[in-house]
Amino acid sequence: MVGKLLEEKSFPRGAPEFKSVEPTTPTNTPKAAVKKKEKDLFSNKEQKVSKKKKNKKRDKTQKSLFDVSTVATLSYSQLSEGQVLLGFVSQVLEFELKISLPGHLVGTVPITNISTAYTTRLRDAADATEGQDSDELPSLNSLYSEGDMVATAVVSVSKSDNRYSVILSLAPVRVMGGRLAGVGEICTAGVESKEDHGHIMDIGSNTVRGFVPSKAMSKMGEVEVGKVMWCLVTRVEAGVRSLTPVPGKVWGQECSNPSVHNLYPGTKVRGKVEGVLRNGLKVSLKDGLVGYVHSDQLKDQMDLVEGYTVGSEVEARVLYITPTINNVMLTLRDTRQKDLFKGVQAGQLLEKAIVEKTYSNFLVLKLGPGQFGLVTARNMKEGKEVMKNVKKKFKVGSSVTARVLALDYCGGVAVCSLQKSLLAGVQRLDQLTVGQLLSVTVKSWVTAGLLVTVGHNVTGLVPRLFLSDVQLTHPERKYLPGDKLSAKVLRLNPANRQLHLTTKPILVKEEFTIVKDYESAVPGTITEGVVVKLSKEGVLVQLWGDLRGWVPKSQLSTETIEYPEKLFWLGQAVKCRVTDCDPARDRVSLSLVLDTMVPMGRRERGRQVLTLGKMYTATVVKVCDEGVEVRVTHEGKQVPAMIPTQHLTDQVSLATIIASNLTVGQQLECLAWQKDVVTVLTRKKSILDNWANCPKSYDEFDVGSLVPGVVVLVKKFGVFLRVPHLEKLVLCPTRMLQDYFVEQGEGIVEVGQTLWAKVVELDRDEMKMV
């Protein structure tokens, strides 16, 4: 501001120029000060000292740039697509594998990412029609077990709601990445086919195949096509690599000339400890290559990095190579040890875990002899806040109650939690029983049904058919994430981690006997079940557990029901009675005829208002495989009815063609033929033309009477027909079907076919006729 004022005064309007006079002393003083300062800065004495300090700082900077003081811990954000890592199977589920990765990370291998050959078998099994011979697909349980060491490739890494999802693949085409192993190098290969002299193996190349002789493969027992195995290259030829899967040879082979190009995950190397870092070791390998071992990957979980001396030799295996900077990460652990967690399971509650070590941000618990657990700071207390003063609150040697969240086979520790909310409630499937009442939380909607959570560590599925008492068009709109529901355990398989539940109110709220196995399927027991399959012969009912029961048509009701599909629907809850149980034949017979209930179909029959033998104009509502659903206007009301496909014409072979040409809204002239749970109409010309002339009761029939009839049932001993005016079916014995000998009626007549029948035997008193 002072300079601005002086400038304005120097150029006033109409005034002479103002020249300011500045004293000389202030001007000279700063110059003297500057000169003095320059003299001090650049004097010989100060120059030597400053140079030494500068050189020391520079040396320190160079040391921090090129010397690694800590071993980086692998995190989800560091994973990239295509990266290959050594992993360990931690869980084998029905449709996926859970893989433990370095850094206590977890990835998932879907069933479609095992190998190319296995995916092909999976598609063939899915495309196989019922009754068609197909190759039996081996389950993941038969291919892998917990603790198995595998080489995995990262397919994708995604983050949602602060949770990472890592999809992995075991397929050699991804894991090998086009790399061809040389003699003495290990690789993973998928069994592609079995030949006379050995097995063709997929090693991830389009031009080169692997081959395992039968002698070498016989030492591995039964091997399924599609399984991915560890192999050692024994010979290299044009277009083929000879392999051996014998474990002794594979894991005993040591890499003699390691480089970043031939160090495959799982490769055995030797090196010397070059430096002891804060949380690991720096190891020098051959040919100037350097590797790093994190403290989590020391030989024993309780080993300290201070226990290793510089210059000592170590035997290690490759975990992974960091992309871009090519750091070789190693492990000193015995990677083939599979019984690390003997007696310990995910979800298990451990009441007397001993605090072995305390650190600022995690605890090490001793779970048993040689078994250790890891508790991170976030798992020490409830909420998002991280616990502080860990060493003061958890004294070494004290005992705590912990919940096992997961088993980390890669780090050799069980991931545990001390949170109170996890110490109570359902944490494992073996804590549940079939028929148990639970409170569940809706997680998400999938094609198969509703995913729900039980407690904090258990996820179950409510299949579509077991959601509600009524059929829902859009169930995903009714059940929203976070909703609380009451459910009962429907099926349970802890070995495969399968949990199916039902939320049907009639099954959840009512009390009844749970029939879940052959021991509880005592004849006379009344229980509840759900219809899962319909046929003209009867109904298949899902009971509890894996038990199913068959209800033949004769046991559906005391009323005659010829069209069960019009009375029952898939997912319908029914009360039933066990009539027979035969474990040897794997059969349970049920009945829906109960003394305490109105017979099924009686109410529906009472609603039939159309008059038999009368012509009606029917409007097509829907065309389906079983027939045509129509509506008939009767006394101002719309009455539902149906025309079975075989009743569209006398020529059964043309019925499906006629049905396919019908359109919704089209009007058809029909005759009311039969009253079942729904009124059955017919357009058969032989019935329409002769209904009025046919005998109306057994008294009007005589031996020799000729009437049209429709085949309803074909048995080995004869054919049952329905004829005009009679409610009971009439029998035509097999011996009377033709003029020549006929062993059975199948193949000669079919259900729905129109036949002209002649009365040969008549008993008016018993109302029987042949």
Side-chain angles (χ1 to χ4, degrees):
M1 293 297 295
V2 175
K4 188 173 182 182
L5 291 172
L6 290 174
E7 183 178 352
E8 290 179 356
K9 289 181 180 181
S10 298
F11 300 97
R13 292 182 180 179
E17 183 181 354
F18 178 81
K19 294 183 180 180
S20 61
V21 179
E22 296 180 359
T24 57
T25 305
T27 308
N28 294 334
T29 303
K31 289 182 179 180
V34 171
K35 287 181 180 179
K36 188 175 181 180
K37 191 174 182 181
E38 289 177 356
K39 185 178 180 180
D40 292 338
L41 282 171
F42 294 96
S43 62
N44 293 332
K45 185 177 181 180
E46 294 293 326
Q47 189 175 2
K48 290 180 181 179
V49 176
S50 62
K51 282 185 178 179
K52 287 182 180 179
K53 288 182 179 179
K54 197 170 183 180
N55 289 338
K56 285 182 180 179
K57 289 181 180 179
R58 186 180 298 171
D59 292 339
K60 287 182 180 179
T61 304
Q62 290 176 353
K63 186 176 181 180
S64 64
L65 280 173
F66 296 103
D67 291 348
V68 177
S69 59
T70 60
V71 181
T73 302
L74 185 65
S75 63
Y76 286 110
S77 58
Q78 294 174 350
L79 295 177
S80 58
E81 183 180 349
Q83 187 175 356
V84 183
L85 307 97
L86 190 68
F88 297 82
V89 178
S90 60
Q91 281 184 13
V92 183
L93 305 179
E94 187 177 6
F95 299 113
E96 64 185 19
L97 301 175
K98 292 293 184 182
I99 307 296
S100 296
L101 300 175
H104 308 297
L105 307 185
V106 178
T108 302
V109 179
I111 193 172
T112 54
N113 285 4
I114 301 297
S115 67
T116 304
Y118 191 81
T119 303
T120 302
R121 295 184 67 179
L122 191 65
R123 286 180 181 148
D124 292 342
D127 294 339
T129 58
E130 188 175 353
Q132 181 180 352
D133 292 335
S134 61
D135 186 18
E136 185 176 353
L137 183 70
S139 64
L140 293 181
N141 270 328
S142 64
L143 300 180
Y144 298 97
S145 59
E146 293 185 1
D148 285 350
M149 182 169 56
V150 292
T152 64
V154 178
V155 176
S156 66
V157 181
S158 58
K159 185 179 181 182
S160 175
D161 297 332
N162 294 326
R163 287 181 175 270
Y164 282 91
S165 175
V166 181
I167 303 300
L168 305 171
S169 176
L170 305 184
V173 67
R174 282 186 176 271
V175 178
M176 297 298 292
R179 165 183 168 269
L180 293 175
V183 175
E185 296 179 5
I186 65 171
C187 65
T188 50
V191 181
E192 199 168 74
S193 64
K194 183 179 180 180
E195 307 299 335
D196 294 338
H197 302 289
H199 290 72
I200 303 297
M201 310 293 286
D202 174 19
I203 57 175
S205 173
N206 294 328
T207 57
V208 180
R209 285 286 181 266
F211 180 77
V212 177
S214 299
K215 185 178 180 181
M217 191 64 83
S218 63
K219 299 179 180 180
M220 304 302 296
E222 187 68 26
V223 178
E224 291 283 354
V225 173
K227 183 177 181 179
V228 178
M229 309 175 65
W230 289 94
C231 295
L232 175 70
V233 179
T234 58
R235 187 170 58 182
V236 174
E237 297 178 358
V240 66
R241 294 285 194 274
S242 295
L243 310 172
T244 177
V246 180
K249 295 183 179 180
V250 174
W251 304 121
Q253 184 66 32
E254 181 181 324
C255 185
S256 57
N257 55 339
S259 68
V260 293
H261 302 292
N262 64 0
L263 285 181
Y264 190 70
T267 302
K268 179 181 176 182
V269 293
R270 287 187 181 273
K272 290 185 178 181
V273 178
E274 185 177 317
V276 178
L277 310 179
R278 293 180 189 173
N279 65 335
L281 303 175
K282 182 179 180 181
V283 180
S284 62
L285 306 175
K286 292 182 180 180
D287 298 332
L289 201 62
V290 177
Y292 296 92
V293 180
H294 195 277
S295 57
D296 292 341
Q297 298 296 332
L298 297 178
K299 193 168 185 179
D300 190 86
Q301 183 60 34
M302 299 309 297
D303 283 355
L304 300 175
V305 291
E306 294 79 5
Y308 292 82
T309 58
V310 176
S312 60
E313 282 196 1
V314 292
E315 185 179 285
R317 291 194 183 275
V318 177
L319 282 177
Y320 63 95
I321 297 178
T322 308
T324 309
I325 57 178
N326 289 336
N327 281 343
V328 181
M329 308 306 293
L330 306 170
T331 179
L332 304 184
R333 292 185 54 248
D334 182 5
T335 54
R336 298 181 60 196
Q337 186 179 359
K338 298 177 63 174
D339 58 348
L340 288 172
F341 305 106
K342 192 174 182 180
V344 179
Q345 297 178 353
Q348 186 174 348
L349 185 68
L350 303 173
E351 296 182 350
K352 294 183 179 180
I354 307 299
V355 178
E356 189 76 14
K357 284 185 180 180
T358 59
Y359 296 90
S360 59
N361 58 349
F362 67 93
L363 295 176
V364 176
L365 306 178
K366 187 172 184 179
L367 310 180
Q371 296 176 336
F372 298 94
L374 180 72
V375 183
T376 61
R378 290 191 179 277
N379 286 327
M380 293 179 190
K381 59 177 293 187
E382 303 289 342
K384 297 182 179 179
E385 294 183 4
V386 178
M387 179 174 284
K388 299 178 181 180
N389 301 323
V390 176
K391 293 185 178 181
K392 291 183 179 180
K393 294 183 178 180
F394 298 96
K395 301 294 184 182
V396 175
S398 61
S399 62
V400 295
T401 301
R403 177 75 71 181
V404 179
L405 299 181
L407 302 179
D408 182 7
Y409 281 87
C410 188
V413 294
V415 180
C416 302
S417 175
L418 304 181
Q419 295 177 0
K420 292 183 179 180
S421 62
L422 295 178
L423 299 182
V426 179
Q427 299 295 329
R428 300 197 320 272
L429 291 182
D430 55 10
Q431 294 178 267
L432 302 174
T433 57
V434 174
Q436 183 177 347
L437 183 63
L438 301 169
S439 177
V440 300
T441 305
V442 176
K443 183 179 180 181
S444 62
W445 176 261
V446 294
T447 306
L450 193 67
L451 285 179
V452 296
T453 56
V454 184
H456 294 269
N457 197 41
V458 177
T459 300
L461 174 70
V462 182
R464 278 176 172 265
L465 295 182
F466 296 86
L467 277 172
S468 175
D469 288 337
V470 295
Q471 294 174 307
L472 300 175
T473 307
H474 298 285
E476 67 278 2
R477 298 179 184 176
K478 180 179 179 180
Y479 304 99
L480 303 178
D483 288 352
K484 301 289 185 180
L485 303 173
S486 294
K488 275 187 178 180
V489 178
L490 180 66
R491 284 191 292 269
L492 186 64
N493 190 341
N496 293 334
R497 294 186 62 83
Q498 291 180 346
L499 172 62
H500 287 184
L501 305 110
T502 177
T503 55
K504 281 180 174 292
I506 194 172
L507 299 182
V508 173
K509 295 179 181 179
E510 290 192 8
E511 293 294 332
F512 51 87
T513 304
I514 300 295
V515 177
K516 60 181 179 179
D517 49 32
Y518 290 112
E519 294 180 359
S520 57
V522 179
T525 303
I526 296 177
T527 185
E528 295 272 359
V530 175
V531 177
V532 293
K533 188 175 182 180
L534 296 169
S535 75
K536 293 185 179 298
E537 302 299 326
V539 173
L540 185 64
V541 176
Q542 172 70 56
L543 298 176
W544 298 81
D546 292 322
L547 199 64
R548 292 184 174 188
W550 174 253
V551 185
K553 186 187 290 188
S554 60
Q555 293 296 324
L556 292 176
S557 175
T558 54
E559 302 286 328
T560 303
I561 299 176
E562 290 190 17
Y563 298 94
E565 64 274 10
K566 295 302 176 182
L567 180 61
F568 301 94
W569 67 87
L570 296 180
Q572 181 180 356
V574 293
K575 183 172 287 188
C576 51
R577 175 171 53 87
V578 179
T579 58
D580 184 40
C581 177
D582 189 352
R585 300 173 62 188
D586 193 21
R587 179 178 296 179
V588 175
S589 298
L590 304 173
S591 174
L592 303 186
V593 180
L594 303 174
D595 297 335
T596 57
M597 293 179 59
V598 177
M600 302 288 287
R602 177 170 293 181
R603 294 173 183 172
E604 288 75 10
R605 277 181 173 273
R607 297 172 188 162
Q608 309 305 318
V609 294
L610 301 183
T611 304
L612 295 183
K614 187 176 179 180
M615 296 295 297
Y616 293 96
T617 301
T619 304
V620 177
V621 176
K622 182 181 178 182
V623 180
C624 51
D625 295 336
E626 294 80 16
V628 183
E629 295 182 9
V630 297
R631 289 193 179 276
V632 177
T633 303
H634 178 74
E635 297 180 354
K637 296 181 179 180
Q638 294 292 320
V639 179
M642 73 167 295
I643 309 173
T645 304
Q646 296 86 352
H647 277 266
L648 290 172
T649 176
D650 284 324
Q651 302 296 327
V652 179
S653 59
L654 299 177
T656 54
I657 300 175
I658 295 174
S660 62
N661 290 324
L662 297 178
T663 58
V664 175
Q666 185 175 347
Q667 292 186 339
L668 304 173
E669 294 298 323
C670 310
L671 180 138
W673 167 249
Q674 175 194 357
K675 287 186 178 181
D676 199 70
V677 291
V678 64
T679 303
V680 179
L681 307 180
T682 183
R683 283 177 54 81
K684 288 180 175 288
K685 187 173 177 55
S686 58
I687 303 296
L688 271 61
D689 293 345
N690 295 279
W691 178 275
N693 300 326
C694 290
K696 296 177 176 56
S697 65
Y698 285 94
D699 294 334
E700 296 184 13
F701 275 94
D702 294 312
V703 175
S705 297
L706 195 65
V707 292
V710 179
V711 178
V712 175
L713 195 61
V714 179
K715 294 292 185 180
K716 189 173 182 179
F717 55 84
V719 175
F720 288 93
L721 302 172
R722 182 176 298 282
V723 299
H725 301 292
L726 296 186
E727 186 176 350
K728 279 189 173 183
L729 301 179
V730 296
L731 173 66
C732 175
T734 303
R735 58 187 173 83
M736 295 186 179
L737 283 176
Q738 297 289 343
D739 293 336
Y740 52 87
F741 174 74
V742 175
E743 186 175 354
Q744 58 183 6
E746 286 188 15
I748 298 177
V749 295
E750 56 184 311
V751 175
Q753 184 175 349
T754 307
L755 300 176
W756 282 92
K758 184 179 179 180
V759 179
V760 293
E761 295 180 16
L762 179 62
D763 188 345
R764 293 187 176 89
D765 295 334
E766 296 291 334
M767 291 193 297
K768 292 183 179 180
M769 183 169 57
V770 178

